Amino acid sequence: MSRVALVTGGTRGIGAAISKAMKAAGYKVAANYGGNDEAAQKFKSETGIPVFKWDVSSYEACAEGIKKVEAEVGPIEVLVNNAGITRDSMFHRMKPEQWTQVINTNLGSLFNMCRPLIEGMRARKFGRIITISSVNGQKGQMGQTNYSASKAGELGFTKALAQESARSGITVNAICPGYTNTEMVQAVPKEVLEKNILPQIPIGRLGEPEEVARCVVFLASDDAGLMTGSTITINGGQYCI
């Protein structure tokens, strides 16, 4: 029987690529999304992947959404925490809501999604939790103290939960993409991309969402059973650790 995978923020950008790759690898996939109904329905019609709408910054919404997914698709064995937002601002101008929105959505969602699922994974003695962090959670980024803090927090969460869950057959890993060819990056002015962003990347190009997705498929597989508490860096050499 195919394993069930849930991808948050799974209908656009990197999340959409992950959802498609997981389906191609034989998983039964459910894709969560937060607000863009038109994009979600288009994704559903094109891929046949069921979509479920809820706000990952709300614990109650996550608990209810997970119940619905498990009732319709099956017990969730693979969770991909991909949903995230930016509210960029220099710190001395940052408003409290810009901080809390990003922290609650990016970092708070890890608790909100993992807590309702972890007991079922422990009972079944199997689980895969994969979080999409960011190169800016590793190195920091001007104008993104909120985003960088949330993404760095995701790495600490991953390392701690991996240690707690290892004996229950659950692996917990993170992926840190660099600049990736998504709608968000495509919206950057061409001159900014060519003069300020690409020169930072030794291989001289953006990453593709499908390249991140292939890493997720590997971490979800039985072949990655020894990997837990790890961070995969996929940024073209922009930042090496």
Side-chain angles (χ1 to χ4, degrees):
M1 183 179 294
S2 298
R3 286 175 175 157
V4 175
L6 171 60
V7 183
T8 67
T11 63
R12 300 172 63 194
I14 290 174
I18 293 169
S19 295
K20 293 174 186 177
M22 293 294 284
K23 181 179 179 181
Y27 293 84
K28 294 172 65 177
V29 180
N32 152 269
Y33 73 102
N36 193 324
D37 294 317
E38 182 179 353
Q41 292 306 313
K42 181 180 178 182
F43 172 85
K44 179 181 178 180
S45 65
E46 290 177 348
T47 64
I49 295 172
V51 298
F52 299 83
K53 183 179 181 179
W54 73 81
D55 177 7
V56 295
S57 71
S58 164
Y59 180 82
E60 291 75 16
C62 289
E64 288 302 314
I66 286 167
K67 284 182 182 178
K68 187 173 182 181
V69 171
E70 294 199 319
E72 295 185 20
V73 186
I76 296 164
E77 296 166 289
V78 179
L79 170 64
V80 183
N81 292 305
N82 170 73
I85 62 171
T86 57
R87 297 290 185 268
D88 295 350
S89 172
M90 296 297 285
F91 186 74
H92 64 280
R93 299 191 188 99
M94 187 174 289
K95 298 177 181 178
E97 58 267 27
Q98 290 175 296
W99 175 268
T100 55
Q101 286 171 0
V102 170
I103 296 297
N104 291 348
T105 299
N106 298 3
L107 181 57
S109 64
L110 268 63
F111 178 87
N112 298 341
M113 292 299 302
C114 292
R115 183 62 186 87
L117 286 174
I118 197 72
E119 291 181 38
M121 290 181 174
R122 288 170 63 88
R124 293 187 294 271
K125 296 295 183 182
F126 180 86
R128 295 283 189 265
I129 298 172
I130 303 157
T131 294
I132 308 302
S133 182
S134 169
V135 63
N136 291 341
Q138 296 175 300
K139 72 176 187 61
Q141 177 61 42
M142 181 183 295
Q144 287 194 327
T145 52
N146 50 3
Y147 184 80
S148 295
S150 71
K151 292 298 178 178
E154 291 177 355
L155 300 182
F157 178 97
T158 294
K159 293 173 184 179
L161 187 58
Q163 293 180 50
E164 291 186 19
S165 304
R167 292 187 180 275
S168 298
I170 304 165
T171 64
V172 190
N173 293 289
I175 297 172
C176 286
Y179 286 98
T180 306
N181 188 23
T182 61
E183 290 179 17
M184 182 173 65
V185 174
Q186 290 167 3
V188 174
K190 183 178 180 182
E191 60 272 17
V192 174
L193 185 66
E194 293 180 349
K195 292 181 180 180
N196 299 333
I197 294 177
L198 289 178
Q200 299 179 37
I201 306 172
I203 67 169
R205 68 171 177 85
L206 300 174
E208 295 296 332
E210 292 75 15
E211 293 177 301
V212 180
R214 286 194 286 271
C215 292
V216 173
V217 171
F218 170 69
L219 288 175
S221 71
D222 291 339
D223 290 338
L226 189 61
M227 291 186 66
T228 195
S230 297
T231 300
I232 294 181
T233 297
I234 177 168
N235 61 37
Q238 180 185 355
Y239 184 74
C240 302
I241 59 171

